Amino acid sequence: MSVVEQYARAHIVTDADPDEDTAIPVVLRYDPEADPRSVRVGLPGTDEWTFSRTLLEQGLSAPVGTGEVRVWPCGRVGAVVEFHSARGVSVVQFETKTLLRFLRRTYLAAV
């Protein structure tokens, strides 16, 4: 089994000027030997979140999550992942196809 690491660009959801580019680099990781049921999302800086791969998958079609991580679809081509911590909330929007590609790779790596 091998580690899956995928680099992506996502957008921070803010109330800032909509013309301002808020794209950030994000690292999506899956290590089946460490935990075959979890994925990790690394945001710029030191923030890395580990949560259920099932949560990510289910959140692409319906809102899910009640704790530190919540996922929901956003329009026809987007998905939002919301991260809660003691420092505040980060809301990040991805293209759904990016997350689907990552999930597909995680299932292939787990075989």
Side-chain angles (χ1 to χ4, degrees):
M1 290 191 236
S2 61
V3 173
V4 173
E5 187 169 272
Q6 180 174 316
Y7 295 87
R9 293 198 62 78
H11 291 273
I12 295 287
V13 178
T14 71
D15 59 0
D17 181 356
D19 294 330
E20 184 179 318
D21 184 13
T22 56
I24 59 168
V26 177
V27 179
L28 305 169
R29 289 189 183 95
Y30 173 71
D31 185 348
E33 291 189 20
D35 185 352
R37 293 172 295 199
S38 295
V39 295
R40 294 182 293 176
V41 175
L43 301 176
T46 59
D47 291 337
E48 184 169 85
W49 297 84
T50 301
F51 57 97
S52 164
R53 179 171 59 168
T54 303
L55 179 89
L56 180 60
E57 185 174 19
Q58 291 175 348
L60 298 180
S61 58
V64 294
T66 56
E68 295 179 341
V69 179
R70 299 171 186 168
V71 183
W72 66 89
C74 182
R76 295 183 320 166
V77 297
V80 172
V81 183
E82 186 177 274
F83 302 101
H84 292 257
S85 73
R87 294 181 302 170
V89 177
S90 295
V91 181
V92 183
Q93 184 175 6
F94 291 88
E95 286 188 6
T96 302
K97 67 181 179 182
T98 299
L99 297 177
L100 286 171
R101 185 180 320 116
F102 172 67
L103 286 168
R104 193 173 312 116
R105 292 179 63 209
T106 68
Y107 286 110
L108 290 172
V111 175

